[in-house]
């Protein structure tokens, strides 16, 4: 399914939710939803706010925050905490293949990793009757680039020779 169709589907779900809950459909809400569905990676609120302002014009960070909360409540966007004591990240939820993340503890780089069979595997491990609607996997460590930098920064050790006692 192409991304425009997925965005249209997400907007229709949002419209239905707003009508059913007597909330206003605002251009800002629709724009933020569309923006998140165009991103290829999760983004934190500061990044989303900056992107919205670049494309939409001035918008308060409070509006972005409350819109993200609304979209999370509707389950069109997922809030994830990838970095301990760091910002929350947001990503689309519709028509998304199961995936996990690798997060570098040094530079904060985030990479998405596919998890094709994770729901099937997880369902075999949980008690009968439990319905899985979301699976998260976050692998934390050091990325290749940071590992290489650390190896270059290590002081070179010199071999010490043992002297014979006579």
């Amino acid at each position: 399914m192409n991304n425009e169709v997925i965005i249209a589907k997400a907007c229709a779900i949002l419209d239905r939710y707003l009508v059913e809950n007597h909330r206003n459909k605002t251009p800002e809400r629709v724009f933020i939803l569309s923006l998140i569905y165009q991103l290829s990676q999760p983004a934190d609120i500061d990044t989303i706010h900056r992107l919205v302002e670049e494309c939409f014009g001035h918008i308060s960070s409070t509006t972005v925050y409350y819109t993200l909360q609304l979209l999370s409540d509707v389950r069109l966007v997922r809030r994830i905490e990838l970095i301990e004591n760091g910002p929350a990240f947001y990503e689309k939820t519709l028509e998304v293949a199961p995936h996990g993340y690798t997060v570098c503890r040094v530079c904060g780089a985030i990479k998405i990793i596919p998890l094709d069979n994770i729901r099937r595997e997880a369902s075999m491990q949980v008690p009968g009757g439990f319905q899985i609607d979301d699976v998260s996997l976050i692998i934390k460590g050091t990325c290749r680039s940071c590992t290489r930098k650390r190896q270059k920064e290590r002081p070179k050790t010199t071999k010490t020779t043992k002297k014979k006692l006579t």
Side-chain angles (χ1 to χ4, degrees):
M1 195 178 289
N2 78 30
N3 206 36
E4 289 179 18
V5 172
I6 296 168
I7 292 171
K9 185 176 176 181
C11 287
I13 293 169
L14 177 61
D15 287 348
R16 187 170 49 250
Y17 175 86
L18 294 172
V19 168
E20 289 172 359
N21 291 279
H22 310 290
R23 310 271 306 262
N24 293 328
K25 178 181 178 182
T26 64
E28 293 86 356
R29 288 176 174 165
V30 174
F31 186 84
I32 292 168
L33 176 63
S34 298
L35 174 75
I36 291 171
Y37 273 76
Q38 292 173 41
L39 298 175
S40 60
Q41 291 234 154
D44 64 15
I45 193 166
D46 291 335
T47 301
I48 294 168
H49 183 241
R50 182 180 46 77
L51 291 170
V52 169
E53 284 203 325
E54 285 174 9
C55 301
F56 191 81
H58 178 70
I59 186 170
S60 76
S61 58
T62 304
T63 298
V64 173
Y65 174 81
Y66 283 120
T67 299
L68 291 171
Q69 182 61 51
L70 172 77
L71 298 175
S72 295
D73 292 346
V74 184
R75 300 183 81 162
L76 292 169
V77 169
R78 177 166 61 158
R79 181 182 191 272
I80 47 179
E81 294 184 24
L82 298 173
I83 301 170
E84 294 170 30
N85 301 320
F89 288 78
Y90 296 86
E91 69 177 352
K92 59 190 168 193
T93 58
L94 289 184
E95 309 293 333
V96 176
H99 60 278
Y101 314 89
T102 58
V103 180
C104 179
R105 290 185 188 271
V106 179
C107 70
I110 299 166
K111 300 243 189 241
I112 294 176
I113 53 173
L115 300 171
D116 299 328
N117 299 316
I118 192 71
R119 282 196 178 104
R120 182 175 54 78
E121 297 291 329
S123 67
M124 294 178 354
Q125 303 299 321
V126 296
F130 186 83
Q131 300 257 335
I132 298 173
D133 62 13
D134 189 22
V135 177
S136 296
L137 175 66
I138 302 170
I139 301 170
K140 297 179 181 178
T142 308
C143 70
R144 180 179 297 167
S145 176
C146 289
T147 299
R148 287 180 181 157
K149 285 179 189 172
R150 281 185 172 175
Q151 288 172 344
K152 288 180 181 177
E153 291 171 358
R154 284 187 189 153
K156 295 182 181 181
T157 58
T158 57
K159 292 183 180 180
T160 58
T161 56
K162 293 182 183 178
K163 293 182 181 179
K164 286 187 179 181
L165 295 174
T166 55

PDB file of all heavy atoms in Angstrom, residues 32-43:
ATOM      1  N   ILE A  32       0.276  17.435  11.331  1.00  0.00           N
ATOM      2  CA  ILE A  32       1.198  16.680  12.187  1.00  0.00           C
ATOM      3  C   ILE A  32       1.053  15.186  11.918  1.00  0.00           C
ATOM      4  O   ILE A  32       2.056  14.472  11.801  1.00  0.00           O
ATOM      5  CB  ILE A  32       0.979  17.033  13.676  1.00  0.00           C
ATOM      6  CG1 ILE A  32       1.420  18.485  13.930  1.00  0.00           C
ATOM      7  CG2 ILE A  32       1.725  16.065  14.591  1.00  0.00           C
ATOM      8  CD1 ILE A  32       0.997  19.045  15.271  1.00  0.00           C
ATOM      9  N   LEU A  33      -0.172  14.713  11.788  1.00  0.00           N
ATOM     10  CA  LEU A  33      -0.393  13.299  11.470  1.00  0.00           C
ATOM     11  C   LEU A  33       0.260  12.943  10.136  1.00  0.00           C
ATOM     12  O   LEU A  33       1.007  11.960  10.036  1.00  0.00           O
ATOM     13  CB  LEU A  33      -1.896  12.992  11.416  1.00  0.00           C
ATOM     14  CG  LEU A  33      -2.275  11.570  11.004  1.00  0.00           C
ATOM     15  CD1 LEU A  33      -1.752  10.553  12.005  1.00  0.00           C
ATOM     16  CD2 LEU A  33      -3.778  11.460  10.855  1.00  0.00           C
ATOM     17  N   SER A  34       0.025  13.747   9.122  1.00  0.00           N
ATOM     18  CA  SER A  34       0.614  13.492   7.798  1.00  0.00           C
ATOM     19  C   SER A  34       2.138  13.524   7.847  1.00  0.00           C
ATOM     20  O   SER A  34       2.805  12.698   7.221  1.00  0.00           O
ATOM     21  CB  SER A  34       0.109  14.522   6.784  1.00  0.00           C
ATOM     22  OG  SER A  34      -1.282  14.426   6.635  1.00  0.00           O
ATOM     23  N   LEU A  35       2.686  14.472   8.586  1.00  0.00           N
ATOM     24  CA  LEU A  35       4.137  14.587   8.706  1.00  0.00           C
ATOM     25  C   LEU A  35       4.743  13.323   9.316  1.00  0.00           C
ATOM     26  O   LEU A  35       5.712  12.776   8.789  1.00  0.00           O
ATOM     27  CB  LEU A  35       4.502  15.803   9.563  1.00  0.00           C
ATOM     28  CG  LEU A  35       5.992  15.942   9.879  1.00  0.00           C
ATOM     29  CD1 LEU A  35       6.740  16.440   8.648  1.00  0.00           C
ATOM     30  CD2 LEU A  35       6.219  16.860  11.054  1.00  0.00           C
ATOM     31  N   ILE A  36       4.161  12.849  10.402  1.00  0.00           N
ATOM     32  CA  ILE A  36       4.700  11.651  11.054  1.00  0.00           C
ATOM     33  C   ILE A  36       4.639  10.453  10.113  1.00  0.00           C
ATOM     34  O   ILE A  36       5.556   9.641  10.079  1.00  0.00           O
ATOM     35  CB  ILE A  36       3.959  11.379  12.376  1.00  0.00           C
ATOM     36  CG1 ILE A  36       4.330  12.471  13.376  1.00  0.00           C
ATOM     37  CG2 ILE A  36       4.298   9.999  12.934  1.00  0.00           C
ATOM     38  CD1 ILE A  36       3.534  12.470  14.643  1.00  0.00           C
ATOM     39  N   TYR A  37       3.586  10.371   9.318  1.00  0.00           N
ATOM     40  CA  TYR A  37       3.454   9.246   8.389  1.00  0.00           C
ATOM     41  C   TYR A  37       4.402   9.355   7.193  1.00  0.00           C
ATOM     42  O   TYR A  37       4.578   8.399   6.464  1.00  0.00           O
ATOM     43  CB  TYR A  37       1.996   9.071   7.955  1.00  0.00           C
ATOM     44  CG  TYR A  37       1.262   8.187   8.937  1.00  0.00           C
ATOM     45  CD1 TYR A  37       0.864   8.670  10.179  1.00  0.00           C
ATOM     46  CD2 TYR A  37       1.022   6.856   8.650  1.00  0.00           C
ATOM     47  CE1 TYR A  37       0.241   7.861  11.098  1.00  0.00           C
ATOM     48  CE2 TYR A  37       0.395   6.029   9.558  1.00  0.00           C
ATOM     49  CZ  TYR A  37       0.003   6.535  10.784  1.00  0.00           C
ATOM     50  OH  TYR A  37      -0.600   5.712  11.692  1.00  0.00           O
ATOM     51  N   GLN A  38       5.021  10.509   7.025  1.00  0.00           N
ATOM     52  CA  GLN A  38       6.016  10.664   5.959  1.00  0.00           C
ATOM     53  C   GLN A  38       7.436  10.393   6.450  1.00  0.00           C
ATOM     54  O   GLN A  38       8.343  10.208   5.645  1.00  0.00           O
ATOM     55  CB  GLN A  38       5.930  12.074   5.376  1.00  0.00           C
ATOM     56  CG  GLN A  38       4.643  12.315   4.612  1.00  0.00           C
ATOM     57  CD  GLN A  38       4.486  13.750   4.174  1.00  0.00           C
ATOM     58  OE1 GLN A  38       5.444  14.367   3.743  1.00  0.00           O
ATOM     59  NE2 GLN A  38       3.281  14.285   4.285  1.00  0.00           N
ATOM     60  N   LEU A  39       7.626  10.353   7.763  1.00  0.00           N
ATOM     61  CA  LEU A  39       8.956  10.123   8.321  1.00  0.00           C
ATOM     62  C   LEU A  39       9.325   8.641   8.224  1.00  0.00           C
ATOM     63  O   LEU A  39       8.470   7.773   8.408  1.00  0.00           O
ATOM     64  CB  LEU A  39       9.018  10.568   9.789  1.00  0.00           C
ATOM     65  CG  LEU A  39       8.772  12.049  10.059  1.00  0.00           C
ATOM     66  CD1 LEU A  39       8.755  12.313  11.568  1.00  0.00           C
ATOM     67  CD2 LEU A  39       9.817  12.900   9.383  1.00  0.00           C
ATOM     68  N   SER A  40      10.590   8.369   7.983  1.00  0.00           N
ATOM     69  CA  SER A  40      11.040   6.980   7.888  1.00  0.00           C
ATOM     70  C   SER A  40      11.561   6.453   9.222  1.00  0.00           C
ATOM     71  O   SER A  40      11.808   5.265   9.357  1.00  0.00           O
ATOM     72  CB  SER A  40      12.134   6.858   6.823  1.00  0.00           C
ATOM     73  OG  SER A  40      13.236   7.665   7.168  1.00  0.00           O
ATOM     74  N   GLN A  41      11.732   7.328  10.197  1.00  0.00           N
ATOM     75  CA  GLN A  41      12.265   6.943  11.511  1.00  0.00           C
ATOM     76  C   GLN A  41      11.441   7.617  12.601  1.00  0.00           C
ATOM     77  O   GLN A  41      10.821   8.652  12.359  1.00  0.00           O
ATOM     78  CB  GLN A  41      13.712   7.414  11.659  1.00  0.00           C
ATOM     79  CG  GLN A  41      14.677   6.714  10.795  1.00  0.00           C
ATOM     80  CD  GLN A  41      15.820   6.141  11.614  1.00  0.00           C
ATOM     81  OE1 GLN A  41      16.386   5.193  11.185  1.00  0.00           O
ATOM     82  NE2 GLN A  41      16.165   6.665  12.754  1.00  0.00           N
ATOM     83  N   PRO A  42      11.456   7.072  13.800  1.00  0.00           N
ATOM     84  CA  PRO A  42      10.810   7.767  14.916  1.00  0.00           C
ATOM     85  C   PRO A  42      11.484   9.123  15.131  1.00  0.00           C
ATOM     86  O   PRO A  42      12.666   9.285  14.842  1.00  0.00           O
ATOM     87  CB  PRO A  42      11.074   6.850  16.116  1.00  0.00           C
ATOM     88  CG  PRO A  42      11.496   5.544  15.559  1.00  0.00           C
ATOM     89  CD  PRO A  42      12.078   5.815  14.214  1.00  0.00           C
ATOM     90  N   ALA A  43      10.715  10.088  15.607  1.00  0.00           N
ATOM     91  CA  ALA A  43      11.256  11.430  15.853  1.00  0.00           C
ATOM     92  C   ALA A  43      10.799  11.918  17.218  1.00  0.00           C
ATOM     93  O   ALA A  43       9.701  11.585  17.663  1.00  0.00           O
ATOM     94  CB  ALA A  43      10.792  12.393  14.764  1.00  0.00           C
TER      95      ALA A  43
END
